[in-house]
């Protein structure tokens, strides 16, 4: 497996691959890989001739008081893990390579970015779209792989692909979890022992709310039960706990087909997110 650090190297690989009429699967990540990322890569490898994983902690999606500087990084470890699941190339550019000049054109996410994570992280999704659009143009993948863990991100990227006609198939992979239900995340390393013990309460609360919704369709009651479970079982602060239609992220009505139940909770300084997506008929919905 090769690690590419410049756009020129990446473009050459893409050109050679296209010349050989081979398909490309792209897995965008910020690195510090875990099983969630590796599952995305396995899908990319299975469904394409060449799998390219980007590893780039993108500064434009972090707010001024967020964890850009301290975000965990370990390219040597990531390289081994990516190779173990058959990734063909890692693209790991420096910030200056991706953003050599300031103040250029920005893409602005629309209404879907005004709530949930977008409300507490202003500008976050504009930064995500900026880097994803650049990666799409650089890699020109046939398919791009994203995790349902970041359900709002998936919904917003789907809208960009539709509105800006990217000729790319988006593939969404279910959330990969620890045995106790905690969604795998690079940020889980920030948790101390107590916080780690409390963290599975987020998923438990979402499951409880899902059952309530399925039984009674009572959004308020479902939210109240989930809030209580988190408050009773953690020292955390709830950033949001929401029930919306998916992927359009509107209020739930009788016509809503798919529902996302999403939460962001601060355990200490660590902000954890999780969600479940389902239809009111009970089966897991396709994203
Ligand atoms: P990140 O490195 O956190 O930006 O994540 C890169 C990609 O991996 C995104 O599409 C995430 O949604 C996905 N991802 C992160 N954690 C998980 C997980 N636990 N299960 C599935 N996909 C994940």
């Amino acid at each position: 497996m090769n690690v590419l650090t410049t756009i020129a190297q990446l473009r050459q690989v893409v050109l050679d691959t296209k010349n050989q009429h081979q398909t490309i699967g792209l897995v965008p990540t910020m690195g510090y890989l875990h099983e969630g990322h590796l599952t995305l890569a396995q899908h990319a490898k299975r469904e394409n001739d060449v799998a390219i994983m980007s590893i780039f902690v993108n500064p434009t999606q972090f707010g001024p008081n967020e964890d850009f500087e301290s975000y965990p990084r370990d390219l040597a470890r990531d390289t081994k893990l990516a190779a173990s699941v058959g990734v063909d190339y890692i693209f790991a550019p420096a910030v200056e390579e991706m953003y050599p000049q300031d103040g250029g054109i920005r893409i602005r996410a629309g209404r879907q970015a005004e709530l949930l994570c977008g409300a507490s992280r202003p500008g976050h999704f504009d930064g995500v779209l900026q880097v994803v659009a650049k990666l799409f143009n650089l890699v020109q993948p046939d398919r791009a792989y994203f995790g349902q863990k970041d359900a709002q991100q998936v919904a917003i990227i789907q809208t960009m692909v539709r509105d800006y006609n990217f000729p790319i198939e988006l593939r969404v992979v279910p959330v990969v979890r620890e045995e106790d239900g905690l969604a795998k995340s690079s940020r889980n390393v920030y948790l101390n022992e107590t916080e780690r013990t409390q963290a599975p309460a987020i998923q438990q609360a979402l499951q409880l709310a899902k059952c309530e919704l399925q039984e009674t369709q009572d959004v308020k009651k479902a939210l109240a039960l989930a809030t209580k479970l988190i408050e009773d079982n953690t020292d955390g602060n709830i950033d949001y706990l929401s029930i919306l239609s998916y992927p359009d992220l509107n209020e739930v009505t009788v016509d809503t087909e798919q529902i996302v139940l999403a939460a962001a909770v601060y355990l200490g300084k660590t902000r954890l997110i999780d969600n479940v997506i389902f239809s009111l008929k009970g089966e897991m919905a396709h994203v």
Side-chain angles (χ1 to χ4, degrees):
M1 192 193 56
N2 277 313
V3 178
L4 315 169
T5 54
T6 68
I7 286 174
Q9 290 167 338
L10 176 64
R11 282 205 189 278
Q12 192 57 54
V13 164
V14 170
L15 196 66
D16 292 346
T17 308
K18 301 261 174 203
N19 282 340
Q20 292 166 37
H21 304 288
Q22 291 187 313
T23 56
I24 300 178
L26 168 67
V27 183
T29 82
M30 298 204 299
Y32 212 69
L33 302 181
H34 53 66
E35 223 182 299
H37 301 114
L38 298 180
T39 306
L40 265 59
Q42 280 163 336
H43 282 266
K45 189 59 198 170
R46 206 176 302 143
E47 297 170 6
N48 302 276
D49 299 312
V50 172
I52 300 181
M53 175 183 274
S54 60
I55 295 185
F56 180 60
V57 184
N58 173 38
T60 69
Q61 69 189 69
F62 286 79
N65 298 315
E66 294 183 356
D67 57 345
F68 173 70
E69 297 296 341
S70 59
Y71 196 86
R73 295 160 168 90
D74 189 342
L75 187 58
R77 173 179 168 276
D78 287 350
T79 306
K80 283 194 199 123
L81 287 171
S84 75
V85 291
V87 169
D88 297 287
Y89 298 94
I90 283 179
F91 176 52
V95 171
E96 304 73 47
E97 182 73 7
M98 285 296 266
Y99 302 118
Q101 54 281 106
D102 272 345
I105 305 294
R106 291 296 296 266
I107 303 176
R108 248 190 88 198
R111 187 195 51 79
Q112 287 163 304
E114 285 167 11
L115 61 184
L116 305 178
C117 289
S120 27
R121 306 184 68 187
H124 168 68
F125 287 111
D126 297 346
V128 169
L129 292 183
Q130 180 181 32
V131 76
V132 169
K134 281 173 75 83
L135 289 169
F136 282 178
N137 284 328
L138 289 169
V139 177
Q140 299 168 45
D142 297 270
R143 297 177 193 83
Y145 295 79
F146 294 91
Q148 190 211 302
K149 157 96 188 323
D150 299 275
Q152 186 178 17
Q153 169 171 284
V154 166
I156 291 170
I157 292 171
Q158 278 171 343
T159 302
M160 178 179 76
V161 164
R162 183 198 67 194
D163 289 356
Y164 285 83
N165 310 96
F166 284 97
I168 294 169
E169 184 187 344
L170 294 186
R171 307 283 281 151
V172 183
V173 176
V175 186
V176 177
R177 301 182 177 283
E178 303 287 352
E179 272 183 14
D180 58 12
L182 172 64
K184 296 211 180 216
S185 165
S186 307
R187 289 191 169 98
N188 290 350
V189 294
Y190 297 152
L191 300 172
N192 67 28
E193 218 174 296
T194 311
E195 291 159 357
R196 176 64 190 82
T197 315
Q198 296 178 350
I202 302 170
Q203 174 60 17
Q204 287 156 13
L206 294 176
Q207 290 299 338
L208 182 67
K210 176 183 166 186
C211 289
E212 183 61 32
L213 264 188
Q214 284 172 333
E215 270 175 33
T216 66
Q217 276 98 55
D218 187 336
V219 169
K220 264 197 188 152
K221 188 156 174 229
L223 288 175
L225 282 174
T227 304
K228 183 162 167 24
L229 192 148
I230 291 173
E231 285 175 354
D232 288 352
N233 293 284
T234 77
D235 305 310
N237 283 318
I238 297 174
D239 179 13
Y240 65 74
L241 192 53
S242 297
I243 296 174
L244 296 167
S245 65
Y246 193 84
D248 46 328
L249 308 180
N250 283 314
E251 259 183 45
V252 173
T253 69
V254 283
D255 298 324
T256 299
E257 285 182 9
Q258 287 194 143
I259 289 183
V260 63
L261 242 155
V265 177
Y266 282 97
L267 287 182
K269 286 195 179 126
T270 308
R271 186 172 176 281
L272 298 179
I273 60 169
D274 200 355
N275 68 82
V276 289
I277 295 176
F278 58 100
S279 74
L280 271 186
K281 291 193 194 83
E283 68 273 16
M284 275 298 294
H286 288 288
V287 180

